[in-house]
Amino acid sequence: MARKKIIAGNWKMNMTPSEAVKLVAELEPLVKNDAVDVVYCVPAIDIVPVVEAVKGSNVQVGAENMYFEESGAYTGEISAAMLVDAGVKYVIIGHSERRDYFKEDDALLNKKVKKAIASGLTPILCCGESLEQREMGVTMDWIRFQIKSDLVDVTADQVKDIVIAYEPIWAIGTGKTATTEQAEEVCKGIRECIAQMYDQATADAVRIQYGGSVNAGNAAELFAQPNIDGGLVGGASLKADFGKIVCY
């Protein structure tokens, strides 16, 4: 089945609100491509101005994180309801930086995934292995564990609408990129995992991105693979070159 590509920028902890609005204006003519879904996942403080800045364009806005509780005494956290009310459509969940630096485990991420879905947000669920795990030959064992844990009690119909991002940790922000063959092999393995958990129709519907030093030079080859449905782009999403990635 034909899956529409989705190319999302993960701005991480970059761009003040004024810088964000300027970047959106710079990128607007460069990212016009109705053949793909374009998403800017921006810092929380940038969400409101960026939602306003992308109005009338082909771009949708995502958040980089959220909490699973509806409201309450959770200082510094942002709820799904807050994101929805602000105009957010997507939310990154389980990025390796959240797992590593902020010690988010799969039980927590499962709660976040279910809350995002229940609130009408589309999760971009991240998974990936460390260099040590790849060298040990346990890449797919680890990634299957992550996906199975993060999708506990998530139905097939719900899974069809989420996005899964494969990001080898050793390739994030390092300039190293998984070879096209390595990226396709793991994305194919993720699809097979979803088929085993649910069914083939569900697996065929899920969009799977590759992330990890995606740039204008390697995007076309990566996105041409049968199981890679776009990219989660870090540093390159903060430059005019992001337009070349979107219009690969």
Side-chain angles (χ1 to χ4, degrees), residues 130-247:
S130 66
L131 183 59
E132 292 77 13
Q133 288 166 329
R134 174 163 282 275
E135 290 175 344
M136 288 168 59
V138 298
T139 293
M140 281 315 306
D141 293 329
W142 177 248
I143 288 172
R144 278 192 290 265
F145 174 82
Q146 288 182 315
I147 291 171
K148 289 180 178 180
S149 301
D150 298 343
L151 296 181
V152 169
D153 295 328
V154 178
T155 69
D157 284 342
Q158 292 170 332
V159 168
K160 287 176 183 177
D161 293 327
I162 75 168
V163 178
I164 297 175
Y166 166 54
E167 293 203 314
I169 297 169
W170 48 271
I172 298 173
T174 62
K176 297 178 181 178
T177 311
T179 65
T180 303
E181 293 74 22
Q182 287 173 324
E184 166 62 16
E185 178 184 27
V186 176
C187 290
K188 181 174 183 284
I190 291 170
R191 203 172 302 283
E192 289 170 349
C193 177
I194 296 295
Q196 291 165 1
M197 293 172 66
Y198 298 96
D199 53 55
Q200 192 60 50
T202 302
D204 289 340
V206 171
R207 294 191 288 182
I208 302 173
Q209 298 174 312
Y210 169 74
S213 299
V214 175
N215 57 55
N218 59 29
E221 183 178 346
L222 285 164
F223 300 166
Q225 303 309 302
N227 289 288
I228 299 178
D229 305 313
L232 183 58
V233 184
S237 68
L238 300 170
K239 307 170 187 174
D241 264 11
F242 188 58
K244 297 176 183 176
I245 298 172
V246 169
C247 301

